[in-house]
Amino acid sequence: MADEKSLHFLEEIVERDLKEGKYTGIATRFPPEPNGYLHLGHAKSICLNFGLALKYGGFTNLRFDDTNPTTEETEYVESIKEDVRWLGYNWANEFYASDYFEQLYTFALRLIDKGLAYVDDSSSEDMATQKGTPTKPGVANQYRSRSIEENRQLFTDMRAGKYKDGEKVLRAKIDMAHVNMLMRDPVIYRIKHAHHHRTGDAWCIYPMYDFAHGQSDSIEKITHSICTLEFVPHRELYDWCIQKLEIYPSHQYEFARLNVTYTVMSKRKLLTLVNEKYVNGWDDPRMPTLSGMRRRGYTPESIREFCDKIGVAKRENLIDIGLLEFCVREHLNKIALRRMVVFNPIKVVLTNYPEGQEEILTSENNPEDPSTGVREMPFGKELFIEADDFMEVPAKKYFRLAPGQMARLKSAFIIKCDTFVKDANGSITELHCTYVPESRSGSDTSGLSVKGVIHWVSARHAVPVEVRQYDRLFRVEDPALIGELADALHPDSIKVTTAMAEPALQSATKADRFQFMRTGYFCLDADASEKKLIFNRTVTLKDMWAKETAKGK
RNA sequence: UGUCCUAUGGUGUAAUGGUAACACUGCAGAUUUUGAUUCUGCCUUUCUAGGUUCGAAUCCUAGUAGGACAACCA
């Protein structure tokens, strides 16, 4: 019996519309501009739009808002499609605003014929001046009173390529003194002699967002057009166009965009990170892009769960990145295969283990999911363990190895540290331990009980692998508050080291998710090859001991 | 010195005029062959001032705070 989850405000609107019989089914759309890669903020929008249609019976179109040929590229179209699919959603139709250019042009003519649009020859500077400010009304210029015939001719000539970029624009004729700046005769068409990624050189005039988006919604009979809060002032213009054009009345609703601590979500800033080479491309595992997160090892399930948990509302928010990490740990804990990898090895010699002997031990692949079975681990006289798992002088509450102390090697034997060897620098290089033969996991008759359990690999069988340990990209909670993006960067957002892995990892595939026991969740990186295994750390395991030791400092 | 949007624990989100709750975080404990997971408990909340009402987080008014709006970007 699942408890009723309360509805967010958009679900309430949809339910009310459905109940009142306004619609029999809903239609939404996800409308990215193909000028960058999708990020976590887009995921929120995708989950919302597709989720609503899925929940209430309807469909979602993927519509590329490609009205600005100078910034848009096919490369982005492909990545966007891949990311939406990866997140787990299927669009009903793949559309482009550019599919509607001819229709939109007709709409513009309709406005002209109604005396609701005019061609303006002003420079953009002059237009800005004439527009006034939020507190000062704008003023009309001489072009505003051009005749319908003249406007028609001029606009037709604009399309025919008779003018250069910036020479003329088409403006809606609304109200230069309107309290909403966007209603002060907004530009709806501009001249751009530029190659468009889909329409090629067919057009030299392109509609502005406000004369393309709502109309596209209307053409597709979108019932609920959902966007972020910064478009609230556009709604008035959105409705004006639909009303004057007398076309299908789609409605716009706005929600608060996603912000996450220690990251940035603006396309401009992400582009800067890529262009200035602060990261290695859009899919750098430190990026909050979906391609970056995918490469890092995030699962679509965990991202969807995150989007569900953060909710949908209208107030500005800054979500703790810890919630994202919680979501991915929660999922990975259920599906990741357990493996042992020693990051900072010291050698352990089992002095009472017969010389030359080896045996095969087994260990669960995933205790959360017994159906995943076990894998085999070779065991021998010489092992590697984590340097951190030994303390010459144990701290209080430390219950791993120390001189005279015992610990269990996970899935193997209990060992006791007898002596240790130091090198010339005073750092510990080797531990000499004795193992308890009758303490073998699964058939332990030793009667001993030890609290410390540590991971290990057989020295002779250990496989060196590269591990890329990522940390947050920014050192401050809200990088937007720092003027220069570079100043907000975390200096150690990536640490590359070589670690010693158990042999089972040699058969890792790119689809596998691993938990390196007691360390974190990892996956094979795209750069990995048969010869060289490279693992990305998706997220660390929660570490209460680290917290405990930090307290003392 | 305009218009619009928003205001609930540290962070998010509920409560739809009738006992302020859920998740994350934090803290404490139990279990544990991962100091993980799991489980238990605890801390902490309605921006301010008026008003309406038997009763207000919820409705009204004013204030305060934050955000948006002056691209031929979306």
Side-chain angles (χ1 to χ4, degrees):
Chain A
M1 202 167 64
D3 37 347
E4 287 295 288
K5 207 195 164 210
S6 54
L7 304 175
H8 60 69
F9 79 102
L10 290 169
E11 290 172 326
E12 282 180 355
I13 288 170
V14 169
E15 289 206 358
R16 193 193 60 215
D17 288 346
L18 255 18
K19 194 177 158 199
E20 289 174 353
K22 192 167 169 184
Y23 309 110
T24 51
I26 64 164
T28 60
R29 100 271 91 114
F30 174 62
E33 184 189 9
N35 69 346
Y37 280 65
L38 258 30
H39 53 64
L40 193 54
H42 291 110
K44 179 179 180 182
S45 173
I46 292 167
C47 291
L48 217 202
N49 278 296
F50 282 90
L52 238 24
L54 245 25
K55 179 168 179 180
Y56 293 106
F59 64 89
T60 306
N61 290 339
L62 174 61
R63 185 175 70 234
F64 291 95
D65 231 333
D66 56 350
T67 56
N68 186 357
T70 53
T71 58
E72 295 152 5
E73 293 170 32
T74 306
E75 175 202 349
Y76 296 123
V77 170
E78 294 311 316
S79 76
I80 288 168
K81 285 160 65 176
E82 185 185 357
D83 287 347
V84 175
R85 262 189 233 110
W86 176 71
L87 253 193
Y89 295 104
N90 300 306
W91 49 90
N93 304 99
E94 177 182 333
F95 288 142
Y96 294 79
S98 53
D99 294 340
Y100 312 132
F101 279 173
E102 194 62 48
Q103 172 77 269
L104 262 14
Y105 177 78
T106 311
F107 284 158
L109 288 175
R110 192 180 300 175
L111 240 34
I112 291 173
D113 289 342
K114 285 183 147 192
L116 292 173
Y118 63 99
V119 172
D120 194 325
D121 303 1
S122 309
S123 67
S124 55
E125 295 76 29
D126 287 346
M127 275 182 50
T129 315
Q130 291 158 13
K131 221 161 199 179
T133 71
T135 53
K136 237 181 290 164
V139 292
N141 62 30
Q142 71 268 33
Y143 305 111
R144 198 171 200 268
S145 48
R146 286 217 251 234
S147 70
I148 289 174
E149 293 66 34
E150 191 184 2
N151 282 321
R152 219 173 203 284
Q153 187 57 52
L154 256 17
F155 187 52
T156 311
D157 290 346
M158 277 169 64
R159 177 180 184 172
K162 289 198 182 169
Y163 306 108
K164 291 199 274 293
D165 289 9
E167 236 179 294
K168 286 180 167 44
V169 292
L170 183 71
R171 291 227 254 172
K173 192 171 178 176
I174 307 177
D175 179 0
M176 285 305 289
H178 203 286
V179 70
N180 181 348
M181 294 288 293
L182 281 162
M183 299 295 276
R184 321 242 258 231
D185 291 10
V187 171
I188 57 176
Y189 262 94
R190 78 289 217 188
I191 300 169
K192 271 180 193 274
H193 290 272
H195 188 84
H196 187 278
H197 75 114
R198 298 201 93 222
T199 60
D201 300 311
W203 293 86
C204 64
I205 57 170
Y206 293 92
M208 297 288 290
Y209 166 85
D210 287 302
F211 203 69
H213 197 97
Q215 287 75 356
S216 303
D217 286 341
S218 182
I219 290 166
E220 295 172 21
K221 294 203 163 45
I222 298 302
T223 56
H224 301 261
S225 176
I226 298 163
C227 60
T228 46
L229 248 28
E230 63 267 30
F231 290 94
V232 168
H234 292 253
R235 190 173 63 233
E236 199 169 9
L237 181 53
Y238 183 103
D239 291 338
W240 183 91
C241 288
I242 282 176
Q243 194 209 101
K244 300 302 179 191
L245 257 14
E246 300 172 66
I247 53 179
Y248 179 84
S250 297
H251 291 281
Q252 176 183 305
Y253 303 90
E254 312 87 10
F255 70 98
R257 70 177 323 139
L258 168 67
N259 299 294
V260 178
T261 57
Y262 298 101
T263 190
V264 295
M265 216 69 86
S266 100
K267 256 195 231 178
R268 205 197 86 241
K269 285 175 183 158
L270 295 177
L271 186 61
T272 303
L273 292 173
V274 173
N275 286 346
E276 307 290 317
K277 305 254 191 291
Y278 293 124
V279 295
N280 303 314
W282 286 101
D283 70 341
D284 186 297
R286 293 165 293 179
M287 290 282 273
T289 51
L290 295 182
S291 49
M293 295 176 75
R294 175 166 62 237
R295 184 167 177 183
R296 175 132 168 192
Y298 273 83
T299 59
E301 290 90 335
S302 63
I303 294 176
R304 277 190 256 123
E305 177 65 15
F306 172 73
C307 290
D308 187 56
K309 277 193 192 322
I310 59 176
V312 179
K314 295 188 79 160
R315 65 183 113 138
E316 307 286 330
N317 58 77
L318 182 59
I319 309 282
D320 187 344
I321 197 164
L323 182 62
L324 214 213
E325 295 174 344
F326 169 83
C327 291
V328 73
R329 283 191 190 108
E330 187 182 42
H331 186 221
L332 258 15
N333 178 47
K334 290 190 191 116
I335 64 163
L337 300 172
R338 272 55 173 175
R339 293 292 182 264
M340 296 196 211
V341 176
V342 176
F343 284 70
N344 188 15
I346 48 170
K347 187 177 273 186
V348 168
V349 179
L350 300 178
T351 50
N352 63 335
Y353 196 85
E355 195 74 47
Q357 182 174 313
E358 278 175 16
E359 60 192 296
I360 300 293
L361 302 172
T362 60
S363 188
E364 303 160 290
N365 277 322
N366 184 355
E368 303 286 323
D369 180 4
S371 75
T372 55
V374 298
R375 88 282 186 184
E376 297 187 328
M377 291 185 72
F379 185 86
K381 188 179 178 70
E382 295 197 343
L383 312 166
F384 289 125
I385 66 161
E386 214 66 72
D388 277 355
D389 289 337
F390 172 80
M391 280 186 98
E392 184 178 348
V393 182
K396 61 175 184 210
K397 295 194 202 169
Y398 184 84
F399 50 71
R400 277 115 79 173
L401 285 178
Q405 279 194 34
M406 290 194 293
R408 172 175 289 280
L409 297 172
K410 170 73 183 168
S411 297
F413 300 90
I414 291 172
I415 61 172
K416 180 175 164 203
C417 177
D418 303 312
T419 56
F420 54 90
V421 181
K422 274 187 182 176
D423 67 11
N425 301 323
S427 47
I428 292 154
T429 55
E430 207 169 288
L431 303 182
H432 289 183
C433 303
T434 44
Y435 87 114
V436 181
E438 56 277 15
S439 67
R440 184 179 171 134
S441 286
S443 53
D444 185 349
T445 55
S446 70
L448 294 169
S449 125
V450 295
K451 192 161 165 71
V453 178
I454 64 177
H455 60 279
W456 54 274
V457 292
S458 159
R460 203 173 77 75
H461 303 88
V463 182
V465 299
E466 180 175 318
V467 286
R468 298 177 178 175
Q469 301 178 76
Y470 299 103
D471 207 330
R472 35 190 66 144
L473 225 202
F474 294 95
R475 60 181 178 81
V476 292
E477 206 170 61
D478 189 355
L481 265 27
I482 306 255
E484 198 58 45
L485 200 59
D487 295 338
L489 288 169
H490 183 140
D492 303 309
S493 57
I494 179 170
K495 193 176 132 199
V496 181
T497 57
T498 300
M500 291 301 192
E502 65 167 284
L505 236 17
Q506 277 172 309
S507 57
T509 73
K510 291 193 173 142
D512 291 327
R513 308 301 165 125
F514 300 102
Q515 183 198 98
F516 291 177
M517 297 196 78
R518 306 206 299 134
T519 309
Y521 293 99
F522 290 78
C523 68
L524 217 47
D525 184 74
D527 289 344
S529 66
E530 298 252 323
K531 282 190 182 144
K532 187 179 185 188
L533 294 176
I534 302 172
F535 291 96
N536 290 325
R537 183 172 72 196
T538 309
V539 66
T540 60
L541 244 37
K542 247 172 64 174
D543 190 348
M544 293 303 285
W545 175 246
K547 215 172 263 180
E548 186 69 34
T549 51
K551 270 188 221 166
K553 284 170 190 163

